[in-house]
Amino acid sequence: MTLNVRAIPCLSDNYAWLLTCSDTGTVAVCDPGEAAPVLAALPEGRCDLVLITHHHGDHVGGVAELVAATGAKTVGHPAEGVRLPPLDHALNPGDGIAIGAARAIVIDTPGHARGHVAFHVQAPGRERDVLLSGDALFSLGCGKLLEGTAEEMFLSMQRLRTLPPDTLVCPGHEYTLSNARFALTVEPDNQALQARVREAEAQRAAGQPTVPTTLEGEIATNPFLRAVDVQTLAARRRAKDVFRG
């Protein structure tokens, strides 16, 4: 079985994620901020599931049109309630749903949004797992604390750290280079971070996405995933919120 994962650029800097199971042809899309680019990318117009990490418009703006065009079933966390599009599968943390031969497990990741979840897609065999992290975990960053607390975000980061190190991290935005500028102020001597910045600069210069990254790489470079306690994460988040570098 091969689980194909593809980033679909949406809006100004969003990514929807397209997952296709080669064995069954099952297609899932995560966080379609707009419908047109997603519909254009679907294999033979097929979409079986729409996974939703949280309610913000740049992550759900294309859901209704995508569902109308394909008959896809929606998947999300009932804690988001009426703020999400209508859900066909309301899953709580720890629940899972099949994507063909793979399985997506819901992880509780509040902090950015009250009912934010991530999806840990477990691929069988030797395939690498996939983390659809929405706006909880970015490449070299984390989401702003719009509806939650530093305590919640710290616990979210700790949950994500427990996943297999080679897990592919698929966030909702292309924020790597802007996050890198802040990360370098936190750990200017971090050689892994320096190498990651050079890699990301080359990727963007070539017109390529900087994601997916890996959990192992984020643990080595991401100042929020590397925070040792709530106080450290909170201080870094406050500093990032006003950073203009």
Side-chain angles (χ1 to χ4, degrees), residues 4-21:
N4 296 308
V5 182
R6 176 183 170 189
I8 305 175
C10 295
L11 304 171
S12 61
D13 57 22
N14 278 71
Y15 288 123
W17 289 94
L18 177 65
L19 290 82
T20 307
C21 172

Side-chain angles (χ1 to χ4, degrees), residues 24-83:
T24 63
T26 302
V27 177
V29 171
C30 183
D31 286 358
E34 60 178 334
V38 176
L39 287 168
L42 293 178
E44 301 181 353
R46 176 174 177 173
C47 183
D48 300 286
L49 295 172
V50 177
L51 310 178
I52 305 170
T53 63
H54 65 296
H55 71 91
H56 293 159
D58 60 332
H59 291 255
V60 301
V63 172
E65 185 177 347
L66 186 57
V67 168
T70 66
K73 303 301 184 183
T74 54
V75 182
H77 186 3
E80 286 280 64
V82 297
R83 302 196 300 177

Side-chain angles (χ1 to χ4, degrees), residues 182-206:
F182 173 75
L184 285 168
T185 69
V186 177
E187 290 190 293
D189 298 325
N190 183 328
Q191 293 185 359
L193 173 59
Q194 294 169 3
R196 173 65 177 130
V197 174
R198 291 192 295 269
E199 176 189 45
E201 289 173 340
Q203 289 169 324
R204 295 309 287 161

Side-chain angles (χ1 to χ4, degrees), residues 71-192:
K73 303 301 184 183
T74 54
V75 182
H77 186 3
E80 286 280 64
V82 297
R83 302 196 300 177
L84 287 181
L87 296 177
D88 296 295
H89 301 283
L91 303 184
N92 290 297
D95 292 342
I97 192 166
I99 304 177
R103 188 165 182 81
I105 306 298
V106 177
I107 301 176
D108 195 23
T109 52
H112 176 68
R114 187 176 66 244
H116 195 296
V117 296
F119 295 93
H120 174 208
V121 184
Q122 299 174 332
R126 296 186 178 182
E127 292 281 319
R128 291 203 284 183
D129 289 358
V130 174
L131 174 65
L132 302 166
S133 59
D135 284 359
L137 179 65
F138 297 127
S139 173
L140 303 181
C142 75
K144 291 182 178 180
L145 303 179
L146 298 181
E147 301 176 14
T149 66
E151 288 83 0
E152 288 174 327
M153 183 62 82
F154 180 75
L155 290 174
S156 295
M157 295 297 101
Q158 298 311 298
R159 292 186 190 104
L160 298 181
R161 284 181 66 103
T162 67
L163 301 180
D166 65 348
T167 297
L168 294 176
V169 178
C170 301
H173 290 272
E174 180 56 69
Y175 286 168
T176 304
L177 290 182
S178 59
N179 286 339
R181 290 189 286 273
F182 173 75
L184 285 168
T185 69
V186 177
E187 290 190 293
D189 298 325
N190 183 328
Q191 293 185 359

